[in-house]
């Protein structure tokens, strides 16, 4: 009997030990994290903030100044919560190299997450709630310090779970991020201001004295730049190639390109300035203009209506592709397909789950994951509206990025700017100083293949425009 008990205990101990050492898949890690106390509290925090903002923003008699204050404080809180705190955790999970470092020094990571969460707490209690109180005239109290009192212990457990993540056969950043967004971060992230559906008050409401709001006539404008994560997901150089082919005489042929003219575009420095260790990002007192040199390509030959073509992209980073069509309408090809109106219902989409539609890091032999756009046997088709004049060219835009881009918002901004600016100018103005200029990118053109490389730099997005000449 005693022997049986000892065997049972030994078996139980061995099983427990094996389970403790078990390497978890990314999905298992994310599901476990989702149920942990700190992320349960984060979901509650997100819901509470959204409720507070909506209730305050829809308050009768809200003035324009109050509206701008509320929007400003929400955007700053959202930046700190989404793009500093959550994005740092996301960045660490996305890199198996970083996960291995966690095993060697777990407390460094738990301290880092706890410190960043304290910044969110301070931002929420000291700035956000004070604005809510000032507008409503009722004191609002936060309960976040309760979480902070046990933050270090919570984040040590988080690091322990992340550290069990096993390396997949193929580490592909776009697929990894898609899984993380769908299983965890979509549920935690604060939505963009636009999605709160808070209408701006009409002119004429009385002005409420308080904190000065930042607007067009009073200092720096807080821009909602179309980037969902400002923490780079990879610090490696962005490099790869784009191959264009068209259907000619029953087979695929290279679609030859050459460099287009570059233009200097004046943009506002969109990077938040301030203390990089603790505290919220503090906007600069005046807009700072810089110049970015555009980079684009155009076909050597002209193509008629009815031309079918496609592209294959190979390299590292995240990929976004859309066209500028007639009537100044944008049309997405990757990761979402359709016009801005057709994508409206999928506003929260991030990246595709399809394993065959990801962009990965090239192997040592130069062969990496290839994204075919469109996929399978489909093509991009050049067509003209009946009776309409043939345009000078068709424009396709390709973005390769270290950070996630809110492509829905970017496409809408492209449309709203109108056609008085060229697609290159609009794209550069919207992305601001996150866009790499011609002088930052090493590129080469060989027939239908364009190679590119962006070394370590402050820029995170390679914006490329391709003009298909028409006939």
């Amino acid at each position: 009997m005693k022997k049986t008990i000892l065997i049972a205990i030994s078996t139980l101990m061995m099983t427990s030990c094996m389970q403790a050492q078990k390497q978890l898949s990314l999905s298992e890690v994310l599901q476990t994290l989702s149920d942990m106390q700190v992320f349960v509290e984060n979901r509650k925090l997100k819901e509470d903030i959204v409720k507070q903002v909506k209730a305050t923003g829809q308050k009768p008699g809200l003035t324009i100044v109050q509206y701008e204050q509320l929007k400003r404080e929400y955007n700053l809180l959202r930046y700190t919560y989404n793009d500093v705190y959550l994005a740092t955790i996301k960045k660490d999970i996305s890199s198996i190299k970083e996960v291995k470092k966690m095993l060697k020094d777990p407390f460094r990571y738990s301290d880092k997450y706890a410190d960043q969460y304290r910044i969110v707490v301070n931002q929420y209690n000291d700035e956000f709630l004070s604005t809510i109180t000032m507008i409503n005239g009722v004191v609002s109290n936060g309960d976040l310090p309760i979480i902070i009192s046990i933050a270090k212990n919570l984040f040590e457990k988080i690091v322990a779970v992340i550290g069990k993540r096993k390396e997949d056969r193929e580490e592909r950043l776009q697929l990894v991020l898609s899984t993380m967004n769908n299983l965890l971060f979509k549920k935690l992230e604060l939505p963009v201001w636009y999605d709160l559906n808070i209408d701006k008050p009409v002119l004429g409401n009385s002005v409420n004295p308080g904190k000065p709001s930042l607007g067009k006539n009073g200092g720096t404008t807080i821009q909602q730049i179309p980037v969902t994560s400002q923490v780079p997901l990879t610090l490696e150089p962005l490099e790869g190639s784009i191959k264009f082919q068209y259907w000619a005489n029953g087979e695929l042929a290279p679609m030859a390109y050459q460099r287009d003219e570059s233009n200097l575009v004046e943009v506002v420095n969109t990077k938040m300035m301030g203390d990089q260790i603790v505290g919220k990002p503090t906007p600069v007192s005046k807009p700072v203009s810089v110049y970015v040199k555009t980079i684009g390509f155009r076909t050597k030959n002209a193509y008629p209506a009815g031309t079918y073509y496609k592209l294959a992209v190979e390299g590292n980073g995240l990929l976004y592709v859309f066209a500028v069509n007639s009537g100044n309408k944008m049309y997405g090809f990757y990761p979402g397909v359709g016009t801005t109106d057709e994508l409206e219902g999928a506003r929260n989409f991030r990246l595709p789950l399809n394993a065959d539609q990801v962009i990965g890091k090239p192997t040592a032999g130069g062969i990496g994951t290839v994204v075919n756009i469109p996929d399978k046997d489909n093509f991009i088709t050049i067509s003209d509206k009946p009776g309409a004049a043939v345009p000078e060219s068709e424009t396709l835009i390709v973005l390769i990025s270290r950070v996630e881009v809110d492509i829905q918002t970017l496409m809408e901004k492209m449309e709203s700017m109108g056609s008085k600016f060229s697609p290159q100018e609009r794209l550069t103005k919207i992305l601001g100083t996150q866009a790499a200029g011609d002088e930052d990118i090493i590129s080469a053109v060989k027939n239908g293949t364009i190679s590119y490389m962006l070394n370590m730099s402050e820029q995170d997005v390679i914006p490329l425009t391709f003009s298909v000449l028409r006939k």
Side-chain angles (χ1 to χ4, degrees), residues 178-279:
S178 175
T179 304
M180 289 196 296
N181 283 325
N182 283 285
L183 293 184
L184 182 64
F185 288 97
K186 273 187 182 180
K187 303 169 186 175
L188 299 173
E189 292 173 342
L190 286 169
V192 296
W193 178 263
Y194 178 92
D195 286 340
L196 297 177
N197 296 316
I198 300 175
D199 295 329
K200 188 173 183 177
V202 296
L203 287 171
N205 282 2
S206 60
V207 177
N208 176 52
K211 286 185 183 178
S213 64
L214 299 180
K216 292 182 179 178
N217 300 318
T220 302
T221 301
I222 302 299
Q223 297 288 337
Q224 181 59 60
I225 60 176
V227 172
T228 62
S229 169
Q230 294 187 14
V231 176
L233 294 156
T234 176
L235 295 177
E236 298 173 346
L238 291 177
E239 56 182 321
S241 63
I242 305 171
K243 182 179 181 180
F244 283 84
Q245 293 179 301
Y246 75 105
W247 190 251
N249 301 319
E251 62 182 9
L252 287 171
M255 200 171 189
Y257 274 85
Q258 60 189 357
R259 283 295 301 270
D260 207 347
E261 292 182 3
S262 295
N263 296 304
L264 280 177
V265 179
E266 184 179 8
V267 302
V268 174
N269 191 337
T270 54
K271 288 192 179 293
M272 302 291 271
M273 306 293 291
D275 194 331
Q276 296 184 42
I277 302 174
V278 295

Side-chain angles (χ1 to χ4, degrees), residues 367-436:
I367 301 174
T369 303
V370 177
V371 181
N372 291 299
I373 301 172
D375 62 347
K376 300 180 181 178
D377 299 323
N378 297 317
F379 289 80
I380 298 173
T381 310
I382 296 176
S383 61
D384 295 326
K385 290 184 177 180
V390 176
E392 180 183 341
S393 63
E394 310 288 344
T395 302
L396 189 74
I397 292 174
V398 177
L399 305 180
I400 301 101
S401 179
R402 290 191 180 100
V403 296
E404 291 183 79
V405 175
D406 185 344
I407 196 66
Q408 171 75 19
T409 301
L410 189 145
M411 289 167 62
E412 289 176 347
K413 283 181 177 288
M414 290 283 288
E415 291 179 346
S416 67
M417 287 180 72
S419 54
K420 69 175 182 177
F421 296 108
S422 69
Q424 282 183 324
E425 290 175 305
R426 281 183 273 173
L427 190 63
T428 305
K429 283 181 177 292
I430 293 168
L431 291 171
T433 48
Q434 286 203 300

Side-chain angles (χ1 to χ4, degrees), residues 75-232:
N75 281 335
L76 285 171
L77 178 60
R78 180 180 178 272
Y79 171 85
T80 308
Y81 176 71
N82 284 9
D83 298 327
V84 177
Y85 163 58
L86 289 179
T88 301
I89 298 175
K90 184 193 294 188
K91 174 180 177 292
D92 290 345
I93 302 176
S94 69
S95 169
I96 201 69
K97 292 179 181 178
E98 209 69 34
V99 171
K100 289 177 180 177
K101 289 179 184 178
M102 284 185 188
L103 295 173
K104 296 179 181 179
D105 191 1
F107 298 117
R108 171 173 166 250
Y109 287 85
S110 62
D111 287 344
K112 177 172 70 172
Y113 301 152
D115 287 342
Q116 289 178 342
Y117 195 68
R118 287 188 184 94
I119 296 173
V120 175
V121 171
N122 292 336
Q123 177 97 27
Y124 177 79
N125 285 327
D126 298 342
E127 304 297 334
F128 177 77
L129 286 182
S130 65
T131 297
I132 297 289
T133 297
M134 184 177 62
I135 294 174
N136 291 331
V138 178
V139 176
S140 298
N141 296 313
D143 57 359
L144 291 182
I146 298 172
I147 302 171
I148 282 303
S149 64
I150 52 173
K152 192 174 186 302
N153 177 258
L154 287 171
F155 286 106
E156 284 174 8
K157 292 179 180 178
I158 285 175
V159 170
V161 172
I162 295 174
K164 292 181 182 178
R165 184 191 150 196
K166 69 179 180 182
E167 186 171 5
D168 295 330
R169 257 180 85 184
E170 292 183 51
E171 279 293 307
R172 291 173 290 191
L173 182 59
Q174 204 141 352
L175 181 61
V176 167
L177 288 175
S178 175
T179 304
M180 289 196 296
N181 283 325
N182 283 285
L183 293 184
L184 182 64
F185 288 97
K186 273 187 182 180
K187 303 169 186 175
L188 299 173
E189 292 173 342
L190 286 169
V192 296
W193 178 263
Y194 178 92
D195 286 340
L196 297 177
N197 296 316
I198 300 175
D199 295 329
K200 188 173 183 177
V202 296
L203 287 171
N205 282 2
S206 60
V207 177
N208 176 52
K211 286 185 183 178
S213 64
L214 299 180
K216 292 182 179 178
N217 300 318
T220 302
T221 301
I222 302 299
Q223 297 288 337
Q224 181 59 60
I225 60 176
V227 172
T228 62
S229 169
Q230 294 187 14
V231 176

